Amino acid sequence: MPGSLYLVALPIGNMEDITLRAIKTLRAVDLIVAEDTRNTRRILDRYQIKTRFHRSYYQGVEKERVVPVLGLLSDGNEIALVSDAGTPLINDPGYPLVRAAIAAGVTVVPIPGPTAAITALVASGLPADRFVFAGAVPRKDGERRALLEKIRTEERTVILYESPHRLLVTMNTLVEILPLRSIVLARELTKVHEEFLRGMPSEILAILKERDRIKGEFVLLIERGEETGSSWDSASAIKLAELLKEEGVTNKAAIRIMVHTLGIPRNEAYRLIHPSS
Ligand code: SAM
């Protein structure tokens, strides 16, 4: 009879964010398949988990490691898959193994726990009733722009992972493509320097530029857009807002005009007319 494959979530910073069931499972299984055995060793030592590791299972080798791990499962071994932080498969290795295990009739058991995306979402202050996790922000400029353009019409809160090295580039692109969307940057979640920056892209960019160095791990959240059925560009919207103000049109009327002529979402028209809100 084949063993089961357990997908065990580990902390994303604070070492105490591990469930009793995760500890129990890691102690009980025959082998642990870890993204990086050195990183996982720290947490195993802390909770006196003595289970042996199978070889590392990181992105570059994950496809070639599927067959040996499947072999071990077929021989009846109970195996836990963990990644360096958070939940396996969430922007981490594991998907090919889970697919192969399901196809081979192996029971796959999730052991839930932290994941940076959901941890950031719940404290972001952005709507959490409908959201989309869009993975990591693409590294290539063209792909990053294409993604942000697509998000213009996204009606759910968007969650993205971003590295500290590319954060400024992404923020500059956000200022250009989604200047009127509220965003939240969640930094170093569950760690000593946990921080939430909330505001318009230009405001967050200004805060980041004042810092000597951009450090830590980041989740970027983008407020959802309102579907208006029409496309409009930021430059025309800003110009129209200026003209309406110059002509002495009341704020309420200006918002109505912008919504009905350009098809700008009401929340974004409001911000154009009240820039400090
Ligand atoms: N499997 C992980 C999870 O469940 O969230 C994600 C792993 S992914 C390789 C690493 C990225 O997740 C980081 O670059 C960062 O964007 C995000 N991340 C992980 N831990 C974080 C933390 N403590 N604070 C903020 N972001 C974090």
Side-chain angles (χ1 to χ4, degrees), residues 12 85-87 90-92 115-116 161-162 189 191 217-219:
I12 55 168
T87 302
I90 303 300
N91 212 48
D92 264 337
T115 191
Y161 286 165
E162 183 53 300
L189 291 160
K191 304 185 201 175
E217 297 192 279
F218 290 89
V219 180

Side-chain angles (χ1 to χ4, degrees), residues 3-261:
S4 299
L5 174 65
Y6 296 87
L7 309 174
V8 182
L10 295 182
I12 55 168
N14 188 319
M15 294 276 260
E16 293 185 358
D17 290 333
I18 183 164
T19 68
L20 296 175
R21 190 167 168 229
I23 297 171
K24 213 166 136 184
T25 305
L26 292 172
R27 283 191 183 139
V29 291
D30 299 303
L31 286 169
I32 297 173
V33 174
E35 185 182 4
D36 184 330
T37 53
R38 286 161 306 178
N39 290 339
T40 306
R41 169 70 59 204
R42 282 176 35 239
I43 193 113
L44 297 195
D45 287 348
R46 165 123 180 195
Y47 291 101
Q48 286 129 38
I49 297 163
K50 308 263 186 264
T51 311
R52 279 183 308 126
F53 283 116
H54 182 58
R55 292 152 78 197
S56 294
Y57 187 87
Y58 52 92
Q59 213 160 23
V61 296
E62 68 168 318
K63 284 208 177 111
E64 68 198 57
R65 300 269 154 100
V66 166
V67 174
V69 176
L70 216 51
L72 290 164
L73 286 161
S74 307
D75 291 345
N77 290 289
E78 302 277 32
I79 293 185
L81 174 71
V82 297
S83 50
D84 285 353
T87 302
L89 277 81
I90 303 300
N91 212 48
D92 264 337
Y95 179 62
L97 179 59
V98 169
R99 289 282 299 178
I102 293 168
V106 168
T107 303
V108 177
V109 185
I111 309 291
T115 191
I118 302 297
T119 308
L121 174 69
V122 291
S124 67
L126 296 177
D129 53 344
R130 285 177 296 131
F131 60 88
V132 48
F133 173 58
V137 177
R139 289 164 185 236
K140 290 189 183 151
D141 190 49
E143 288 173 21
R144 183 172 41 241
R145 284 176 168 279
L147 175 73
L148 296 182
E149 287 288 355
K150 220 165 147 191
I151 290 173
R152 275 166 75 101
T153 52
E154 175 55 63
E155 293 176 75
R156 296 163 292 180
T157 301
V158 179
I159 311 172
L160 290 153
Y161 286 165
E162 183 53 300
S163 90
H165 319 291
R166 289 185 294 273
L167 185 62
L168 282 183
V169 177
T170 296
M171 290 306 305
N172 273 308
T173 319
L174 271 169
V175 169
E176 204 184 306
I177 297 177
L178 296 168
L180 300 169
R181 268 319 158 72
S182 277
I183 64 157
V184 178
L185 267 187
R187 190 175 85 88
E188 294 289 83
L189 291 160
T190 77
K191 304 185 201 175
V192 181
H193 298 291
E194 179 177 274
E195 181 182 33
F196 287 86
L197 298 174
R198 301 179 177 91
M200 294 294 120
S202 58
E203 293 165 339
I204 309 282
L205 182 61
I207 295 171
L208 293 174
K209 277 186 172 166
E210 274 174 16
R211 301 191 174 176
D212 299 336
R213 221 150 56 96
I214 300 200
K215 285 193 295 189
E217 297 192 279
F218 290 89
V219 180
L220 166 66
L221 301 103
I222 305 175
E223 178 192 26
R224 64 193 181 198
E226 288 173 16
E227 186 50 75
T228 62
S230 70
S231 61
W232 53 281
D233 69 277
S234 306
S236 317
I238 291 166
K239 188 72 205 160
L240 179 61
E242 280 170 10
L243 289 172
L244 291 168
K245 276 195 202 164
E246 277 167 28
E247 292 301 324
V249 175
T250 64
N251 287 349
K252 199 173 156 198
I255 292 168
R256 280 197 58 169
I257 291 169
M258 295 181 68
V259 169
H260 292 289
T261 55

